[in-house]
Amino acid sequence: MTHKYELEKYKGIRSRHECPACHHKGVFARYVDTDTGAYLHSDVGRCNREDKCGYHYTPGQYFKDNPDEREFAAHGRSTPIRQSTPGQPGKIDRIPKQYIIQSLGYNSNFVRFLLSLFDHYTLESPTVVRLMSDYYLGCTKDGSVIFWQIDTRNRIRAGKIMQYNPDTGKRIKSQSGAIDWVHSKLKRIGKLADTWKLSQCLFGEHLLQKRPNDTICMVESEKSAIIGSGAMPGYIWMSTGGKQNLKAEKCECLKGRNVVLFPDLGAFDQWMEKGKEIAQRVGFSLTVSTVLERIATPDDRRDGLDIADYLIRQIQTQSNTPVSFAPLTREEEILQQMNAKNPAIMQLITSLGLVSTSTGKQIRTA
Ligand SMILES: [Zn+2]
């Protein structure tokens, strides 16, 4: 009789891994889904140092600890986890759920900034509360925020750790300029195996399932996604986490959806071209916003401002002068209706300029 999950048969050194408990290399056999050939989570398996280590985490225990995963596994045949990583079929390393739960909290400078920005008219902060629960914002002891990347199957792919100035909301880079990651920290303290491999997804991807009919606003930075969602909750705000991260393989989850791209200043041409190509390949309807291109001053361009900078400026100044008026597209009309309660947001929305394009079709300028 064949079981659904079996320990991987010995096929040489590549089939024996580092043990997540004792960290000896080449001693750990992982469980494999016999239907799909995919590994279960990298912690699920048995260490062959039976006397000295004795680690054995069975699929049964794993699914008890991670009930959500069982559902995905049950659909293994129709939606195989298998991905084309040579030598390691189906392996998408993820961060155990406990770390996201431990990290949740308001104690980051980024969230302090959000609290100063939204909900001025009330003692409560309904907007910030919503953002916290939608995006699972985490915090570290030193007040950095953690932006968790959770995919459409609720797999926690990564946690990006970033520091912000609580007053301005501007990013504070570390001395090396490098971004710190939760998995790097966990590796440093021996909680994740050295072989754990990062495979990123889009930030906000997990919201797609919950809101199957909503339009997606795609921006470059996590901060823009959060501020955008705070200001315009009717859209699903997602970010690529970097200019270069707008890639077809990451955008598979957008298939069949309506997507509005908001390129940062200086990235318009690149994102427009890339976006069209990806929309055609994956199959989603794309609109590229020209609002920043139309309202930017030379200084704004020099600083490479993004949609969040304008939203923040607009909210903070409560300016009464809309930047410019363009014929409204369908998206703009929807936005306007949704945000009619907040005059500051409304002014920005009146100024939104969108260039529409159906998949691969001629681009229409608003
Ligand atoms: Zn071991």
Side-chain angles (χ1 to χ4, degrees):
M1 176 189 161
T2 317
H3 292 279
K4 173 136 176 71
Y5 304 106
E6 286 179 346
L7 285 165
E8 186 178 17
K9 303 227 166 20
Y10 183 78
K11 284 174 283 184
I13 190 66
R14 279 157 79 96
S15 62
R16 289 297 174 268
H17 308 269
E18 178 176 326
C19 171
C22 68
H23 295 288
H24 275 67
K25 295 198 197 321
V27 300
F28 186 67
R30 291 179 60 184
Y31 277 95
V32 176
D33 182 328
T34 53
D35 281 343
T36 64
Y39 282 126
L40 293 187
H41 187 276
S42 55
D43 286 349
V44 187
R46 189 175 70 190
C47 179
N48 70 14
R49 302 174 72 232
E50 277 161 36
D51 298 332
K52 295 207 169 80
C53 173
Y55 180 93
H56 188 187
Y57 192 31
T58 65
Q61 287 164 334
Y62 174 69
F63 287 124
K64 212 171 147 193
D65 297 340
N66 302 275
D68 293 348
E69 299 295 325
R70 186 190 285 283
E71 229 173 278
F72 304 134
H75 296 108
R77 233 181 245 283
S78 50
T79 54
I81 316 167
R82 193 190 294 273
Q83 289 238 329
S84 55
T85 312
Q88 297 193 307
K91 185 173 186 291
I92 288 183
D93 286 332
R94 62 197 79 175
I95 293 174
K97 210 187 227 169
Q98 73 205 67
Y99 295 110
I100 205 171
I101 293 165
Q102 284 167 17
S103 81
L104 297 177
Y106 287 76
N107 199 21
S108 69
N109 289 325
F110 181 70
V111 170
R112 270 182 209 115
F113 175 70
L114 293 180
L115 287 165
S116 75
L117 191 65
F118 294 113
D119 306 323
H120 266 190
Y121 49 88
T122 161
L123 274 178
E124 292 102 44
S125 297
T127 306
V128 180
V129 170
R130 176 177 60 78
L131 293 172
M132 297 293 292
S133 74
D134 276 357
Y135 290 93
Y136 302 104
L137 299 179
C139 56
T140 65
K141 279 188 190 122
D142 72 345
S144 294
V145 67
I146 303 176
F147 296 122
W148 291 102
Q149 291 177 12
I150 307 164
D151 68 17
T152 47
R153 296 193 219 163
N154 287 328
R155 294 179 294 197
I156 303 159
R157 304 285 198 95
K160 203 188 228 184
I161 304 170
M162 293 171 112
Q163 185 59 282
Y164 289 85
N165 179 312
D167 301 320
T168 63
K170 298 263 181 227
R171 187 166 158 222
I172 299 171
K173 291 192 179 168
S174 67
Q175 279 184 336
S176 66
I179 289 169
D180 203 4
W181 295 87
V182 171
H183 67 270
S184 309
K185 273 190 190 287
L186 291 174
K187 281 183 182 182
R188 289 199 290 271
I189 58 170
K191 299 280 189 189
L192 275 187
D194 284 342
T195 49
W196 194 97
K197 200 160 150 268
L198 173 66
S199 73
Q200 296 192 62
C201 68
L202 296 168
F203 177 68
E205 197 177 299
H206 63 287
L207 296 168
L208 289 172
Q209 272 183 316
K210 294 184 200 166
R211 301 167 63 179
N213 301 312
D214 288 339
T215 295
I216 292 119
C217 287
M218 185 68 68
V219 293
E220 187 179 313
S221 76
E222 293 85 355
K223 171 184 156 184
S224 289
I226 299 287
I227 305 271
S229 176
M232 304 181 200
Y235 279 151
I236 300 172
W237 288 78
M238 295 171 60
S239 88
T240 62
K243 203 186 305 299
Q244 309 304 332
N245 285 345
L246 184 64
K247 289 176 184 161
E249 62 266 27
K250 281 199 193 169
C251 293
E252 292 288 343
C253 57
L254 302 175
K255 191 171 176 154
R257 308 291 296 239
N258 293 316
V259 180
V260 184
L261 269 190
F262 287 88
D264 288 4
L265 284 176
F268 185 84
D269 293 341
Q270 195 187 335
W271 267 37
M272 170 78 124
E273 197 169 317
K274 196 84 207 175
K276 273 166 62 187
E277 182 195 313
I278 294 172
Q280 199 157 19
R281 206 163 121 192
V282 174
F284 57 83
S285 140
L286 177 71
T287 302
V288 183
S289 167
T290 59
V291 63
L292 298 189
E293 295 300 313
R294 290 196 288 110
I295 65 181
T297 66
D299 281 354
D300 293 346
R301 281 182 195 285
R302 189 200 57 213
D303 297 339
L305 294 198
D306 57 28
I307 183 78
D309 294 314
Y310 284 94
L311 285 168
I312 291 166
R313 199 185 276 178
Q314 198 89 19
I315 295 167
Q316 283 175 340
T317 60
Q318 300 278 312
S319 155
N320 285 317
T321 43
V323 193
S324 72
F325 290 92
L328 291 183
T329 64
R330 191 177 54 82
E331 284 81 5
E332 288 171 311
E333 281 166 16
I334 294 167
L335 278 172
Q336 206 166 36
Q337 286 157 12
M338 281 183 329
N339 293 279
K341 284 180 194 156
N342 186 332
I345 304 296
M346 173 123 172
Q347 276 152 26
L348 185 91
I349 288 152
T350 8
S351 73
L352 278 179
L354 301 171
V355 177
S356 289
T357 160
S358 313
T359 310
K361 296 246 176 68
Q362 182 66 41
I363 294 168
R364 178 165 60 83
T365 311

